[in-house]
Amino acid sequence: MFSKLDISTQLISEVYIGDKEYTIDMAFDNILRFIRLLGDEKITDANKIKIGIEILLDEKLDYDFETLIKIFKQLIAIIFDTDTEEAKEDVVYDLAGEPLPAEFQKKEKEYYSLTEDAQYIFSSFKHYYNIDLFEEQGELDWRKFKAYLNDLGSDTKFSEVVKIRMMEIPADATEAEKNDIRKLKAAYALEGSQNDIENGALDLAQKQIIAQKMYDEMMRKEEENE
């Protein structure tokens, strides 16, 4: 998938929709723009799908909404690498062999947010790699960005903040030490993790598919009753 970094091949950003080839804008700042869109509560789910596709492909697609939902789902699977074989192996199934609903699936908790932690990420890239992310906008590929992010040194602010969030309060700590840790964790607490955003994108696509099916069924019954 595109979000995986394979140094044995060239980075590919093309995808076929129907019989036409499109180029996904995989610049890290464009993907972050897409992620911010997903978290914007002022925008309806339907508009998030339409605007999200336009952000990723830099083009409005003239398809019916049901097809747009499928395209959106395909694109977020590419961006977030959600349909790899590794992911499939982690799916939890019921006794009938069907995947359990998303809320029952095991998901590894993440302790960062690409949007909320933007200042820590910027300063850490500059400190550790001497990379100015503002200067790299439109240039640095999302897959390279994620690889850099995952390998930031322990002496960076981003790594320090993540470590604080992951920190357990020792049982043998004094009450004063426990309070200090609680205050520190509260100071760096997240409103939502990166996992929340990615799972929310998947849920958005699934909800819209269900809503579209319900709408189609309602229209079919109305036609039968005419």
Side-chain angles (χ1 to χ4, degrees), residues 59 172 179:
E59 185 175 341
D172 59 351
N179 285 334

PDB file of all heavy atoms in Angstrom, residues 59 172 179:
ATOM      1  N   GLU A  59      -9.173  17.262  -7.370  1.00  0.00           N
ATOM      2  CA  GLU A  59     -10.130  17.253  -8.487  1.00  0.00           C
ATOM      3  C   GLU A  59     -11.491  16.820  -7.970  1.00  0.00           C
ATOM      4  O   GLU A  59     -11.595  15.927  -7.116  1.00  0.00           O
ATOM      5  CB  GLU A  59      -9.649  16.271  -9.565  1.00  0.00           C
ATOM      6  CG  GLU A  59     -10.494  16.271 -10.812  1.00  0.00           C
ATOM      7  CD  GLU A  59      -9.907  15.384 -11.902  1.00  0.00           C
ATOM      8  OE1 GLU A  59      -8.705  15.078 -11.836  1.00  0.00           O
ATOM      9  OE2 GLU A  59     -10.657  15.004 -12.820  1.00  0.00           O
ATOM     10  N   ASP A 172       4.406   2.357  44.457  1.00  0.00           N
ATOM     11  CA  ASP A 172       5.192   2.699  45.644  1.00  0.00           C
ATOM     12  C   ASP A 172       5.606   4.171  45.682  1.00  0.00           C
ATOM     13  O   ASP A 172       6.385   4.576  46.549  1.00  0.00           O
ATOM     14  CB  ASP A 172       6.444   1.823  45.718  1.00  0.00           C
ATOM     15  CG  ASP A 172       7.335   1.970  44.483  1.00  0.00           C
ATOM     16  OD1 ASP A 172       6.889   2.612  43.508  1.00  0.00           O
ATOM     17  OD2 ASP A 172       8.456   1.432  44.501  1.00  0.00           O
ATOM     18  N   ASN A 179       0.901  12.905  42.652  1.00  0.00           N
ATOM     19  CA  ASN A 179       0.230  14.139  42.240  1.00  0.00           C
ATOM     20  C   ASN A 179       1.017  14.847  41.147  1.00  0.00           C
ATOM     21  O   ASN A 179       0.429  15.401  40.208  1.00  0.00           O
ATOM     22  CB  ASN A 179       0.051  15.066  43.445  1.00  0.00           C
ATOM     23  CG  ASN A 179      -1.060  14.604  44.368  1.00  0.00           C
ATOM     24  OD1 ASN A 179      -1.995  13.928  43.939  1.00  0.00           O
ATOM     25  ND2 ASN A 179      -0.966  14.961  45.644  1.00  0.00           N
TER      26      ASN A 179
END
